[in-house]
Amino acid sequence: MSDGGNIIDYHGCEFFPERWFDIVFVLRTDNTILYDRLEQRGYAGKKLSNNIDCEIFQTILEEARESYSKEIVHELPSNTPEDMERNLEQIQLWLQQWRS
């Protein structure tokens, strides 16, 4: 981690010190879309409701904002395939700039 250039995909911030990150992206999804996605993945009951509640209350976004500098936390919509494509392009652009 100390060499940099790593990408972490995780659903929380509590383990990671701020010094590890130059930027943090939090992907957000509309609750109705998220519900359908999770249901299609086989989520049900408490696991489904916990994930929906987490999105409603912006738990991960707030955790990121509390754990890291406001300047490095970026919220990205992830509702449609087009959103996901734009997010990928934005992250790739950021990586290119970071490397140079």
Side-chain angles (χ1 to χ4, degrees), residues 2-16:
S2 62
D3 292 339
N6 299 297
I7 297 175
I8 308 285
D9 177 9
Y10 193 73
H11 300 144
C13 304
E14 65 276 2
F15 306 147
F16 307 113

Side-chain angles (χ1 to χ4, degrees), residues 21-77:
F21 301 107
D22 295 304
I23 196 161
V24 174
F25 297 104
V26 179
L27 302 178
R28 301 292 312 281
T29 304
D30 178 85
N31 294 325
T32 56
I33 294 169
L34 181 60
Y35 185 93
D36 293 341
R37 280 185 194 166
L38 296 177
E39 197 173 49
Q40 288 173 359
R41 292 182 191 164
Y43 287 37
K46 190 167 178 99
K47 186 170 185 175
L48 178 60
S49 64
N50 284 347
N51 276 273
I52 295 298
D53 288 349
C54 190
E55 186 64 23
I56 289 170
F57 295 111
Q58 302 182 28
T59 304
I60 302 302
L61 179 61
E62 292 302 319
E63 198 175 284
R65 288 178 174 160
E66 289 172 7
S67 298
Y68 309 116
S69 165
K70 291 180 200 174
E71 294 80 27
I72 70 167
V73 176
H74 301 274
E75 178 181 0
L76 301 175

